Each structure stands twice: as C-alpha cells, then as structure tokens.
Amino acid sequence: VERVGPDVRGLSEGDRVALDPVLSCVHRGFDPPCESCRTGLAYACRRFDEPGVTGMCSATHGFDTALGGGWGERLVAHASQLHRVGSTPSRRAVLAEPASIALHAALQWRRAGDRVVVIGPGTIGLLVTSALRRLHPDLDVAVVSPGEHGASMARRSGATRTLPVGAAAVEALAEADGGRVLRPQRTPLPILGDGVDAVFDCVGRPDTIDLGLHLLRPGGMLVLVGAAGKQQVDWSLAWYRQLTVQGTVNFGSEPSLEGRHTMAEIVDWLADDSYPVDHLVTHTYSQDEWRAGLATASAGPRAGAVKVALRPNPALHE
C-alpha cells in the first residue's frame, strides 16, 4: 500500500496486500446495492455494466483505465478489496486470486461421496486439487492430464492419482476401482457405470465437458470451472443420470465458511507452509521482460510453465 485515504481503517502505508478484483455496487457507489451484492454474491453483481458515481463499467478490476491494473506500476483500489498478506512470500501471495477461484469452485460441492475427478492440470485445476485435498484430507482426487508434466504437478498439488485423457480415463478408473464400463451405441465415449461423485472441469472444451458427464455416477455433480463459452455438448446424460451441473465464477462471501470471504480464508492458507502451492509459480520475469513472460505462459507445458508472474516491485519477500 503506497497511500491510504483519510477515512480508511485497517490498512497502513507499507502493507503488503492481495487484491480481490471483483467490483460490486459498493465500489460503484450504488446505495442500496443490488440483491446479488446485498446477499454476498458480488461476483454476480446485477449492475456490473452501469458505471455508477465512480465511472467503473466492468465486472472486475483491471479493465478500467481510470483505476489501473496488475500490469501497471500502481492501481487504485477500494479498501474492502485488499487483504493483508503479512510476511507470506510473494511467490505464494501472488496465488491469492486464482486460489480463491479454486476454493470457491471446490466449495460448490457439498461432499457426498469419496471419489472426485479434476480435469485439467493448469493453474486453476492444480489449485482446485490443492483446495479439495485441504478441505477433505481423505478424499480420492484423480486428475486428468494430457502429459507427464501436468501429472507430476498434480501429484505435488495433492492428487491421489492421475489419469489419461478421453476414453482412457474411463477405462483406467474402471480397471483401478473394479467398476463397470458401459458402451452405448449412440456415443463413442464409454460411461463409467458406478461413476465418481463429482467432476471439476477446469478446461471448458466440448471434449472435457463430455468426459465429465461420462465419468459421473447417477446423481453426481459436474462443476464447470473452465470458461466454457458456447460449446456443442451432448447433455443427454444430465437427464438420464439426473446429474447436477454447477457453474462457478470468481469468489466472495462463502455460506459454507459461515459467510467468510474466500480470499480471507485463502490468505490464511497461503501463510501455512503445509498448503502445497510452492511449485506452481514456475517462472518470474521483471516488468520489462513481459514479452518473454507471455511467450513462456503461451508455451505452457512445453516450457515447463504453470503460473508465470511479472514482478514490478523490488525482489522482496521471495
């Protein structure tokens, strides 16, 4: 924190903080706030497209030139968006926002069973894996990964085991757990007969959504964490096996945490060295090296990259 306003309480100059980028009615100056913001669902603000008295017309911080963003040397934020991280190393603290997205996704499933699958070993998928492991230490968490780099990262993040992609994932789970494989004529992808209790799709492609539907037991839950957009998917299993399809976005006040903010919980997790995330920031570049950073992030597993970070500030609190 470089400077605080005259009425700000609980923050001081020099504080190291993580930013909750979600912009709510409060930040736009709307009084009273909309129903979503009033009930703790600020990430689903019903007036996100209205500028309000502050002139902000975006759902999250960083898309408004008046405020600046994470790529700039400084930005303006509301005090309620900031969570102090104390002496937590920057390599961990920088994960506060994606880890909060992951925890919010993991909390969408009210545990009903012992087996789940996470599809996708990217930053969010690995953090969902870590969140599930911390919330449910005895849970069987399998991660679908297209290669050994992602599989290795998944195991370090708390995965019980890893699976190949596509139909091979169904076959592998059936063989390992003694389940049946159903082979309907109308779909090329087999169905895991008994199925797992929940699938967290952290990719959002038609083939990954389809795989998730085919892995679930009757009555299971598919949590859509990846930004799916407009996708062509056969949803027939959602009816035939009475599945729950749960979308999730950003984070905020969590009913299952007695109303505590997701990021407040994550900041505490990040201060605990036993929370397995130290391996996720694989590359760090100075702000002048942003081209190299983007190239590394775009290369992904080919460059051995998961989370790629820029560091505009001096190398303190590594």
Side-chain angles (χ1 to χ4, degrees):
V1 174
E2 184 178 88
R3 189 168 65 229
V4 297
D7 298 322
V8 172
R9 300 290 181 269
L11 288 170
S12 304
E13 293 179 9
D15 281 347
R16 298 174 67 246
V17 295
L19 173 76
D20 169 10
V22 176
L23 296 172
S24 69
C25 283
V26 170
H27 308 129
R28 295 183 178 84
F30 289 129
D31 187 18
C34 72
E35 180 67 17
S36 292
C37 291
R38 189 162 57 249
T39 56
L41 305 177
Y43 47 85
C45 176
R46 303 182 190 188
R47 305 180 73 175
F48 75 90
D49 60 331
E50 300 178 34
V53 298
T54 52
M56 295 182 289
C57 265
S58 62
T60 57
H61 212 295
F63 291 92
D64 193 299
T65 56
L67 299 175
W71 289 55
E73 293 182 358
R74 59 180 56 85
L75 56 81
V76 179
H78 193 277
S80 65
Q81 294 176 273
L82 304 181
H83 296 262
R84 290 187 292 182
V85 298
S87 60
T88 299
S90 294
R91 184 172 294 275
R92 294 174 68 89
V94 75
L95 295 169
E97 188 261 353
S100 296
I101 291 173
L103 174 57
H104 181 65
L107 290 172
Q108 300 306 304
W109 179 57
R110 305 295 190 267
R111 183 169 180 175
D114 299 317
R115 295 191 302 161
V116 301
V117 170
V118 176
I119 301 177
T123 302
I124 297 297
L126 295 173
L127 286 167
V128 168
T129 302
S130 293
L132 289 167
R133 174 59 60 225
R134 189 175 180 97
L135 291 169
H136 313 288
D138 62 332
L139 187 65
D140 183 353
V141 183
V143 176
V144 174
S145 171
E148 180 51 36
H149 173 70
S152 173
M153 286 290 182
R155 289 189 289 269
R156 294 177 66 183
S157 300
T160 311
R161 50 184 167 170
T162 57
L163 302 169
V165 299
V170 179
E171 304 281 359
L173 274 174
E175 181 178 355
D177 297 346
R180 294 192 305 141
V181 176
L182 309 179
R183 305 183 190 279
Q185 294 181 351
R186 63 186 305 275
T187 172
L189 196 63
I191 300 171
L192 187 62
D194 295 332
V196 300
D197 303 292
V199 172
F200 297 81
D201 176 20
C202 302
V203 180
R205 294 198 312 254
D207 59 319
T208 60
I209 297 172
D210 198 36
L211 175 60
L213 293 169
H214 284 72
L215 286 171
L216 285 166
R217 63 164 172 80
M221 173 181 279
L222 174 63
V223 183
L224 297 177
V225 192
K230 187 177 181 179
Q231 305 286 26
Q232 189 77 24
V233 176
D234 180 359
W235 293 101
S236 58
L237 285 173
W239 283 272
Y240 293 146
R241 290 165 78 84
Q242 202 159 317
L243 306 176
T244 296
V245 179
Q246 175 68 55
T248 179
V249 66
N250 290 326
F251 46 89
S253 176
E254 299 288 357
S256 57
L257 298 178
E258 299 182 344
R260 193 180 195 207
H261 194 280
T262 329
M263 187 171 281
E265 182 75 5
I266 281 295
V267 165
D268 285 348
W269 286 18
L270 290 168
D272 180 357
D273 290 339
S274 68
Y275 179 42
V277 296
D278 284 312
H279 57 294
L280 296 184
V281 178
T282 54
H283 298 76
T284 304
Y285 294 91
S286 70
Q287 201 159 15
D288 293 338
E289 299 173 310
W290 62 268
R291 289 183 178 85
L294 283 178
T296 301
S298 298
R302 297 193 306 277
V306 178
K307 185 68 172 176
V308 179
L310 299 179
R311 180 186 285 281
N313 55 308
L316 300 175
H317 300 285
E318 280 285 358

PDB file of all heavy atoms in Angstrom, residues 35-50:
ATOM      1  N   GLU A  35     -29.497  -6.922  -5.320  1.00  0.00           N
ATOM      2  CA  GLU A  35     -29.766  -8.110  -4.498  1.00  0.00           C
ATOM      3  C   GLU A  35     -28.547  -9.021  -4.414  1.00  0.00           C
ATOM      4  O   GLU A  35     -28.259  -9.579  -3.352  1.00  0.00           O
ATOM      5  CB  GLU A  35     -30.958  -8.870  -5.078  1.00  0.00           C
ATOM      6  CG  GLU A  35     -31.349 -10.130  -4.316  1.00  0.00           C
ATOM      7  CD  GLU A  35     -31.888  -9.864  -2.926  1.00  0.00           C
ATOM      8  OE1 GLU A  35     -32.275  -8.712  -2.652  1.00  0.00           O
ATOM      9  OE2 GLU A  35     -31.924 -10.805  -2.106  1.00  0.00           O
ATOM     10  N   SER A  36     -27.810  -9.186  -5.522  1.00  0.00           N
ATOM     11  CA  SER A  36     -26.632 -10.061  -5.508  1.00  0.00           C
ATOM     12  C   SER A  36     -25.581  -9.546  -4.536  1.00  0.00           C
ATOM     13  O   SER A  36     -25.053 -10.294  -3.707  1.00  0.00           O
ATOM     14  CB  SER A  36     -26.036 -10.181  -6.913  1.00  0.00           C
ATOM     15  OG  SER A  36     -26.895 -10.885  -7.772  1.00  0.00           O
ATOM     16  N   CYS A  37     -25.267  -8.265  -4.625  1.00  0.00           N
ATOM     17  CA  CYS A  37     -24.245  -7.698  -3.747  1.00  0.00           C
ATOM     18  C   CYS A  37     -24.709  -7.704  -2.289  1.00  0.00           C
ATOM     19  O   CYS A  37     -23.909  -7.928  -1.373  1.00  0.00           O
ATOM     20  CB  CYS A  37     -23.909  -6.278  -4.186  1.00  0.00           C
ATOM     21  SG  CYS A  37     -23.027  -6.194  -5.766  1.00  0.00           S
ATOM     22  N   ARG A  38     -25.990  -7.488  -2.070  1.00  0.00           N
ATOM     23  CA  ARG A  38     -26.520  -7.449  -0.708  1.00  0.00           C
ATOM     24  C   ARG A  38     -26.453  -8.819  -0.041  1.00  0.00           C
ATOM     25  O   ARG A  38     -26.309  -8.920   1.180  1.00  0.00           O
ATOM     26  CB  ARG A  38     -27.962  -6.942  -0.739  1.00  0.00           C
ATOM     27  CG  ARG A  38     -28.558  -6.662   0.630  1.00  0.00           C
ATOM     28  CD  ARG A  38     -29.784  -5.764   0.584  1.00  0.00           C
ATOM     29  NE  ARG A  38     -30.829  -6.306  -0.272  1.00  0.00           N
ATOM     30  CZ  ARG A  38     -31.201  -5.777  -1.435  1.00  0.00           C
ATOM     31  NH1 ARG A  38     -30.579  -4.697  -1.895  1.00  0.00           N
ATOM     32  NH2 ARG A  38     -32.163  -6.318  -2.152  1.00  0.00           N
ATOM     33  N   THR A  39     -26.524  -9.887  -0.837  1.00  0.00           N
ATOM     34  CA  THR A  39     -26.510 -11.247  -0.279  1.00  0.00           C
ATOM     35  C   THR A  39     -25.144 -11.917  -0.384  1.00  0.00           C
ATOM     36  O   THR A  39     -25.032 -13.122  -0.228  1.00  0.00           O
ATOM     37  CB  THR A  39     -27.576 -12.115  -0.967  1.00  0.00           C
ATOM     38  OG1 THR A  39     -27.360 -12.118  -2.384  1.00  0.00           O
ATOM     39  CG2 THR A  39     -28.971 -11.599  -0.678  1.00  0.00           C
ATOM     40  N   GLY A  40     -24.095 -11.141  -0.688  1.00  0.00           N
ATOM     41  CA  GLY A  40     -22.743 -11.691  -0.705  1.00  0.00           C
ATOM     42  C   GLY A  40     -22.299 -12.258  -2.029  1.00  0.00           C
ATOM     43  O   GLY A  40     -21.235 -12.871  -2.110  1.00  0.00           O
ATOM     44  N   LEU A  41     -23.094 -12.067  -3.094  1.00  0.00           N
ATOM     45  CA  LEU A  41     -22.730 -12.582  -4.413  1.00  0.00           C
ATOM     46  C   LEU A  41     -22.228 -11.453  -5.302  1.00  0.00           C
ATOM     47  O   LEU A  41     -22.697 -11.261  -6.431  1.00  0.00           O
ATOM     48  CB  LEU A  41     -23.933 -13.273  -5.069  1.00  0.00           C
ATOM     49  CG  LEU A  41     -24.610 -14.391  -4.272  1.00  0.00           C
ATOM     50  CD1 LEU A  41     -25.821 -14.919  -5.016  1.00  0.00           C
ATOM     51  CD2 LEU A  41     -23.620 -15.517  -4.002  1.00  0.00           C
ATOM     52  N   ALA A  42     -21.265 -10.683  -4.806  1.00  0.00           N
ATOM     53  CA  ALA A  42     -20.769  -9.531  -5.556  1.00  0.00           C
ATOM     54  C   ALA A  42     -20.216  -9.918  -6.917  1.00  0.00           C
ATOM     55  O   ALA A  42     -20.247  -9.133  -7.866  1.00  0.00           O
ATOM     56  CB  ALA A  42     -19.701  -8.803  -4.740  1.00  0.00           C
ATOM     57  N   TYR A  43     -19.701 -11.141  -7.051  1.00  0.00           N
ATOM     58  CA  TYR A  43     -19.163 -11.602  -8.326  1.00  0.00           C
ATOM     59  C   TYR A  43     -20.264 -11.778  -9.378  1.00  0.00           C
ATOM     60  O   TYR A  43     -19.974 -11.963 -10.560  1.00  0.00           O
ATOM     61  CB  TYR A  43     -18.405 -12.919  -8.147  1.00  0.00           C
ATOM     62  CG  TYR A  43     -19.147 -13.957  -7.335  1.00  0.00           C
ATOM     63  CD1 TYR A  43     -20.072 -14.798  -7.917  1.00  0.00           C
ATOM     64  CD2 TYR A  43     -18.911 -14.085  -5.965  1.00  0.00           C
ATOM     65  CE1 TYR A  43     -20.760 -15.748  -7.166  1.00  0.00           C
ATOM     66  CE2 TYR A  43     -19.591 -15.028  -5.208  1.00  0.00           C
ATOM     67  CZ  TYR A  43     -20.515 -15.852  -5.812  1.00  0.00           C
ATOM     68  OH  TYR A  43     -21.197 -16.778  -5.077  1.00  0.00           O
ATOM     69  N   ALA A  44     -21.523 -11.733  -8.955  1.00  0.00           N
ATOM     70  CA  ALA A  44     -22.651 -11.794  -9.883  1.00  0.00           C
ATOM     71  C   ALA A  44     -23.460 -10.508  -9.793  1.00  0.00           C
ATOM     72  O   ALA A  44     -24.685 -10.523  -9.936  1.00  0.00           O
ATOM     73  CB  ALA A  44     -23.532 -13.001  -9.579  1.00  0.00           C
ATOM     74  N   CYS A  45     -22.796  -9.379  -9.579  1.00  0.00           N
ATOM     75  CA  CYS A  45     -23.447  -8.074  -9.461  1.00  0.00           C
ATOM     76  C   CYS A  45     -24.377  -7.836 -10.640  1.00  0.00           C
ATOM     77  O   CYS A  45     -23.992  -8.007 -11.799  1.00  0.00           O
ATOM     78  CB  CYS A  45     -22.395  -6.973  -9.391  1.00  0.00           C
ATOM     79  SG  CYS A  45     -23.081  -5.293  -9.364  1.00  0.00           S
ATOM     80  N   ARG A  46     -25.608  -7.440 -10.347  1.00  0.00           N
ATOM     81  CA  ARG A  46     -26.610  -7.264 -11.391  1.00  0.00           C
ATOM     82  C   ARG A  46     -26.487  -5.915 -12.090  1.00  0.00           C
ATOM     83  O   ARG A  46     -27.191  -5.655 -13.064  1.00  0.00           O
ATOM     84  CB  ARG A  46     -28.008  -7.429 -10.788  1.00  0.00           C
ATOM     85  CG  ARG A  46     -28.197  -8.772 -10.098  1.00  0.00           C
ATOM     86  CD  ARG A  46     -29.587  -8.965  -9.546  1.00  0.00           C
ATOM     87  NE  ARG A  46     -29.631 -10.159  -8.703  1.00  0.00           N
ATOM     88  CZ  ARG A  46     -30.762 -10.662  -8.202  1.00  0.00           C
ATOM     89  NH1 ARG A  46     -31.925 -10.087  -8.466  1.00  0.00           N
ATOM     90  NH2 ARG A  46     -30.732 -11.738  -7.436  1.00  0.00           N
ATOM     91  N   ARG A  47     -25.603  -5.066 -11.594  1.00  0.00           N
ATOM     92  CA  ARG A  47     -25.433  -3.732 -12.189  1.00  0.00           C
ATOM     93  C   ARG A  47     -23.994  -3.520 -12.643  1.00  0.00           C
ATOM     94  O   ARG A  47     -23.495  -2.397 -12.683  1.00  0.00           O
ATOM     95  CB  ARG A  47     -25.842  -2.667 -11.167  1.00  0.00           C
ATOM     96  CG  ARG A  47     -27.257  -2.870 -10.625  1.00  0.00           C
ATOM     97  CD  ARG A  47     -27.666  -1.828  -9.607  1.00  0.00           C
ATOM     98  NE  ARG A  47     -27.928  -0.549 -10.224  1.00  0.00           N
ATOM     99  CZ  ARG A  47     -28.392   0.515  -9.563  1.00  0.00           C
ATOM    100  NH1 ARG A  47     -28.641   0.417  -8.264  1.00  0.00           N
ATOM    101  NH2 ARG A  47     -28.606   1.655 -10.176  1.00  0.00           N
ATOM    102  N   PHE A  48     -23.298  -4.644 -12.982  1.00  0.00           N
ATOM    103  CA  PHE A  48     -21.875  -4.536 -13.327  1.00  0.00           C
ATOM    104  C   PHE A  48     -21.633  -3.683 -14.567  1.00  0.00           C
ATOM    105  O   PHE A  48     -20.529  -3.161 -14.764  1.00  0.00           O
ATOM    106  CB  PHE A  48     -21.274  -5.933 -13.540  1.00  0.00           C
ATOM    107  CG  PHE A  48     -21.657  -6.586 -14.830  1.00  0.00           C
ATOM    108  CD1 PHE A  48     -20.904  -6.403 -15.970  1.00  0.00           C
ATOM    109  CD2 PHE A  48     -22.798  -7.377 -14.906  1.00  0.00           C
ATOM    110  CE1 PHE A  48     -21.262  -7.001 -17.168  1.00  0.00           C
ATOM    111  CE2 PHE A  48     -23.165  -7.974 -16.089  1.00  0.00           C
ATOM    112  CZ  PHE A  48     -22.391  -7.787 -17.229  1.00  0.00           C
ATOM    113  N   ASP A  49     -22.642  -3.543 -15.422  1.00  0.00           N
ATOM    114  CA  ASP A  49     -22.473  -2.787 -16.665  1.00  0.00           C
ATOM    115  C   ASP A  49     -22.810  -1.308 -16.512  1.00  0.00           C
ATOM    116  O   ASP A  49     -22.728  -0.547 -17.474  1.00  0.00           O
ATOM    117  CB  ASP A  49     -23.339  -3.394 -17.764  1.00  0.00           C
ATOM    118  CG  ASP A  49     -24.827  -3.373 -17.408  1.00  0.00           C
ATOM    119  OD1 ASP A  49     -25.135  -3.428 -16.206  1.00  0.00           O
ATOM    120  OD2 ASP A  49     -25.648  -3.317 -18.331  1.00  0.00           O
ATOM    121  N   GLU A  50     -23.183  -0.884 -15.285  1.00  0.00           N
ATOM    122  CA  GLU A  50     -23.509   0.513 -15.043  1.00  0.00           C
ATOM    123  C   GLU A  50     -22.345   1.179 -14.316  1.00  0.00           C
ATOM    124  O   GLU A  50     -21.836   0.655 -13.327  1.00  0.00           O
ATOM    125  CB  GLU A  50     -24.778   0.616 -14.195  1.00  0.00           C
ATOM    126  CG  GLU A  50     -26.004  -0.021 -14.847  1.00  0.00           C
ATOM    127  CD  GLU A  50     -27.220   0.056 -13.948  1.00  0.00           C
ATOM    128  OE1 GLU A  50     -27.363   1.050 -13.206  1.00  0.00           O
ATOM    129  OE2 GLU A  50     -28.037  -0.892 -13.985  1.00  0.00           O
TER     130      GLU A  50
END
